[in-house]
Amino acid sequence: MRATARVYWRLLAAGFRRQSAYRLAALGGLVANLTFGLLKVAILFATVRAAGGELHGYDTASMSTYVWLSQGLLGSVNLNGRTDLALRVKDGQVAVDFLRPVDLQAATLATEAGMSLFALIPRGLPSVLLGALVVGMRLPSNPVFYLLGTVSLLLGIVISAATVYLVAVAGFWLVETRGLQILYMLASGFLGGLYVPLALFPGWLRAVAAATPFPSIMMDPIDVLSGLGGEAHAAGLVLAQLAWLAGVAAAGQALTRAGRRRLEVQGG
Amino acid sequence: MNSAVGSGAIIETDGLTREFRVRDGRRKRLLTAVDGLTVRVEPGEAVGYIGANGAGKSTTIKMLTGILVPTAGRVLTCGLRPVPDRRRLARQVGVVFGQRSQLWWDLPVRESLRILAAIHMLSRAEENDRTAELVEQLELGEFLSVPVRQLSLGQRMRAEIAAALLHSPRLVILDEPTIGLDVLSKQRLREFLIGERRRHGTTLLLTTHDMGDVERLCDRILVIDHGRLAYDGDLPGLSRTVGAQRVLVVDLAEPVPDLTGLDGATHLSSQAGGLRQRLAFDAEKTTAAKVLAAVSGQAEVLDLTVEEPDIEDVVRRIYAASR
């Protein structure tokens, strides 16, 4: 058991180190995050002001919190659907993964989580800090939200990796998963709360979003971290995330098992 | 249960078959990549698995290692069923795919080896001893802290071999390990594999197009053609099977007309107006000495060499014969 934990821990560390190899790319990502963050500030602040200073529970200060937390998370959660694994399935490199005495899904998630955690350093934290500095934001004073928020953030990272994993292993059947990846990109950003807080959606669209794992990737961690809705609400969101994680992880296991029977290693 | 069926063989297949559906324009047709392969490899053997492109070599390897699910037949590798026991089997088998990398592209070689040691659950002592051994044998020291993406092909292949062998597997499978390597790199790699086998009793199975690999590394050869086993035996036997001829090259004291009428030998070519002549003979029917004696009756021989059968040619003959 301890030895198994060491295996995945080492893979997580490897992901972390891998991501650290590309510092310039991280800097570019940060600049993009900040630019789009300012754009979102301009549009959403105007909307809040047009609504008379308050919109579905958001004022400009809490809207700023939403904007910078979402921009900060963007480097660490996968809302574009692209993965190494999908490429590895497509070119047959996944054969090498199957030669290792590890579970494909667990190994992939550990590596992706490691990469995501590293991205918090050059992209996540600076986005939030610079946003707070330049625009200002409201953060909760109760430490419970930081504790629950950290858990929620980590869950969001793993749920996102486990959900894109489903897109990647669909390649066992489809080979080319780009169509599915684009669908994921459109749906996850929109329904995950990247563009506007889900509270701004009409009721039916909120219901649609709630039927997908996407809010638990971005919107829920933001809500928990910003302390909107109180402690009980935050705890409820974390529990819901756990349920989503269990669901997508189980689906990933089932798809991997079924896909292994279908696998035809591409490229000889 | 597994060990009872395995009865000591390291690879055992029975009627192993894999079909693929391939799209051929609009129609789909069934391609049989491996067709009823029955073979048994004992621990410690060094087996060359050769065949043309598309003959079914890689498909076989993928079934032996649990990557591909067979369409029909039975396979046991290290006494385990490769697909259901994939993870247990992975601890006993090391595989090098010449065309695929198992190293972490962005990380230094040392880091890849450390991750693999963790994956294979090596103890700290095992990891250190084995890493030191491989670093020394494969001369990895000079680029151990270089990211894999910056390695030359020769360096990368050495690192790949180290990665595949780090957990001291009982069975090492190499799929075209010397592809693209220069002569010196090939030579070093072969020497390493010979040494590894001597030190640890490792079983080797390698596919290659490089006949030098087969000659120097393998004591048994399997030839696969169109998914079927076309030959199973040693190298001299393979030459005999296809009737490959040996060639005697003689340098003569003075030019003579083509030596066509010799008993048991056929004239192939002459150079320098007949100063050097090449004569083919069948090793089953006559000997180099007899042919030489026959030549000496007609001209003074200054020097001679005997050319061994070219294995590329041998294999080509097998393909041609079974087509």
Side-chain angles (χ1 to χ4, degrees):
Chain A
M1 191 58 216
R2 267 188 57 196
T4 311
R6 189 173 148 239
V7 172
Y8 296 106
W9 175 252
R10 190 52 75 74
L11 285 169
L12 188 135
F16 191 89
R17 297 245 319 176
R18 242 182 84 184
Q19 197 65 9
S20 71
Y22 295 101
R23 289 184 192 154
L24 213 59
L27 185 66
L30 176 62
V31 172
N33 281 1
L34 292 173
T35 312
F36 280 92
L38 290 171
L39 203 67
K40 275 161 84 173
V41 163
I43 295 167
L44 290 170
F45 275 27
T47 314
V48 170
R49 289 191 184 113
E54 212 224 82
L55 179 67
H56 296 284
Y58 284 93
D59 55 17
T60 50
S62 56
M63 193 56 95
S64 173
T65 310
Y66 158 78
V67 167
W68 296 111
L69 285 177
S70 65
Q71 290 307 99
L73 269 172
L74 198 48
S76 293
V77 297
N78 188 329
L79 295 184
N80 59 46
R82 281 191 287 268
T83 51
D84 265 5
L85 184 62
L87 296 175
R88 295 169 72 80
V89 171
K90 190 181 167 190
D91 67 14
Q93 189 74 23
V94 72
V96 173
D97 300 320
F98 279 124
L99 288 174
R100 297 189 171 136
V102 290
D103 181 83
L104 180 66
Q105 185 193 35
T108 308
L109 297 195
T111 308
E112 295 278 331
M115 293 169 71
S116 295
L117 287 176
F118 178 81
L120 289 175
I121 300 168
R123 290 183 65 177
L125 292 175
S127 288
V128 178
L129 286 177
L130 288 171
L133 222 62
V134 174
V135 184
M137 68 172 71
R138 183 185 303 130
L139 289 168
S141 50
N142 188 341
V144 167
F145 292 113
Y146 293 97
L147 193 70
L148 276 177
T150 306
V151 175
S152 180
L153 169 70
L154 296 177
L155 279 170
I157 285 173
V158 183
I159 295 168
S160 106
T163 312
V164 284
Y165 178 85
L166 301 181
V167 176
V169 292
F172 290 146
W173 287 267
L174 302 172
V175 181
E176 176 57 85
T177 50
R178 207 176 310 164
L180 208 57
Q181 175 251 316
I182 289 171
L183 190 68
Y184 176 97
M185 181 165 67
L186 295 174
S188 65
F190 186 60
L191 301 175
L194 172 63
Y195 305 116
V196 295
L198 295 191
L200 271 57
F201 281 3
W204 65 269
L205 197 52
R206 271 207 305 269
V208 170
T212 72
F214 303 128
S216 64
I217 291 172
M218 177 170 270
M219 198 68 233
D220 294 353
I222 293 173
D223 282 350
V224 175
L225 274 166
S226 57
L228 290 179
E231 288 121 312
H233 180 66
L237 288 177
V238 170
L239 285 178
Q241 280 184 298
L242 280 170
W244 272 115
L245 177 57
V248 288
Q253 277 293 319
L255 278 179
T256 310
R257 208 163 306 140
R260 291 229 321 117
R261 307 229 137 245
R262 295 257 338 168
L263 177 68
E264 293 184 1
V265 176
Q266 306 297 318
Chain B
M1 179 207 126
N2 287 323
S3 55
V5 182
S7 64
I10 202 151
I11 294 172
E12 197 180 8
T13 73
D14 184 10
L16 188 64
T17 300
R18 172 71 203 211
E19 295 168 346
F20 289 103
R21 254 167 232 294
V22 289
R23 205 178 280 277
D24 186 3
R26 283 260 182 93
R27 289 201 319 261
K28 281 192 172 174
R29 68 190 168 86
L30 214 56
L31 176 102
T32 309
V34 175
D35 193 356
L37 183 73
T38 301
V39 73
R40 191 185 157 95
V41 176
E42 303 298 333
E45 284 195 88
V47 180
Y49 192 42
I50 59 184
N53 288 323
K57 302 185 299 285
S58 292
T59 304
T60 309
I61 287 179
K62 282 167 195 149
M63 286 193 285
L64 292 177
T65 49
I67 296 170
L68 268 181
V69 181
T71 311
R74 221 170 50 100
V75 52
L76 286 178
T77 309
C78 300
L80 298 168
R81 295 160 302 157
V83 173
D85 300 329
R86 175 182 71 82
R87 285 165 66 181
R88 277 172 66 202
L89 179 59
R91 297 190 190 287
Q92 304 191 38
V93 180
V95 186
V96 178
F97 287 117
Q99 320 243 47
R100 304 191 188 284
S101 177
Q102 53 192 317
L103 303 165
W104 280 258
W105 193 241
D106 307 314
L107 299 180
V109 176
R110 186 197 310 276
E111 195 72 16
S112 282
L113 295 180
R114 288 185 61 201
I115 298 167
L116 286 167
I119 285 178
H120 284 289
M121 298 183 181
L122 302 188
S123 72
R124 188 69 66 189
E126 284 170 329
E127 177 185 343
N128 290 342
D129 291 353
R130 183 64 170 159
T131 306
E133 182 186 6
L134 291 169
V135 166
E136 194 209 313
Q137 298 290 334
L138 288 163
E139 298 169 56
L140 308 180
E142 51 185 307
F143 53 87
L144 212 48
S145 49
V146 176
V148 172
R149 59 186 144 84
Q150 291 173 12
L151 299 182
S152 72
L153 179 64
Q155 292 174 328
R156 210 201 79 205
M157 274 318 294
R158 273 141 71 196
E160 293 284 353
I161 305 257
L165 269 59
L166 185 67
H167 58 295
S168 307
R170 292 171 62 202
L171 171 63
V172 173
I173 299 180
L174 305 126
D175 193 4
E176 302 192 19
T178 56
I179 198 164
L181 295 187
D182 63 44
V183 178
L184 189 66
S185 304
K186 276 182 188 172
Q187 186 55 30
R188 282 154 115 192
L189 204 55
R190 287 172 189 152
E191 275 164 17
F192 166 77
L193 289 171
I194 290 167
E196 179 72 13
R197 209 182 143 209
R198 194 178 51 232
R199 282 188 298 276
H200 301 285
T202 315
T203 310
L204 290 184
L205 176 71
L206 76 133
T207 78
T208 182
H209 288 291
D210 189 312
M211 291 309 151
D213 289 347
V214 177
E215 283 181 44
R216 289 183 184 76
L217 291 174
C218 304
D219 41 39
R220 179 178 169 197
I221 294 169
L222 302 172
V223 179
I224 187 173
D225 185 41
H226 288 81
R228 294 213 181 93
L229 199 59
Y231 176 81
D232 179 356
D234 61 10
L235 195 54
L238 181 60
S239 311
R240 282 198 298 276
T241 307
V242 297
Q245 293 184 307
R246 300 173 78 189
V247 174
L248 178 70
V249 184
V250 286
D251 288 344
L252 306 173
E254 48 198 49
V256 295
D258 293 354
L259 299 161
T260 47
L262 296 174
D263 194 26
T266 28
H267 177 262
L268 290 179
S269 63
S270 293
Q271 283 171 288
L275 267 177
R276 168 174 289 184
Q277 306 210 7
R278 297 178 72 244
L279 305 160
F281 65 97
D282 189 339
E284 298 279 274
K285 297 192 181 118
T286 185
T287 63
K290 282 183 186 162
V291 178
L292 182 62
V295 175
S296 301
Q298 301 194 15
E300 190 188 343
V301 178
L302 294 181
D303 199 4
L304 68 111
T305 47
V306 179
E307 291 177 358
E308 291 306 316
D310 179 3
I311 304 176
E312 293 265 15
D313 180 54
V314 168
V315 172
R316 210 176 297 126
R317 280 161 187 259
I318 281 206
Y319 297 155
S322 61
R323 198 145 283 152

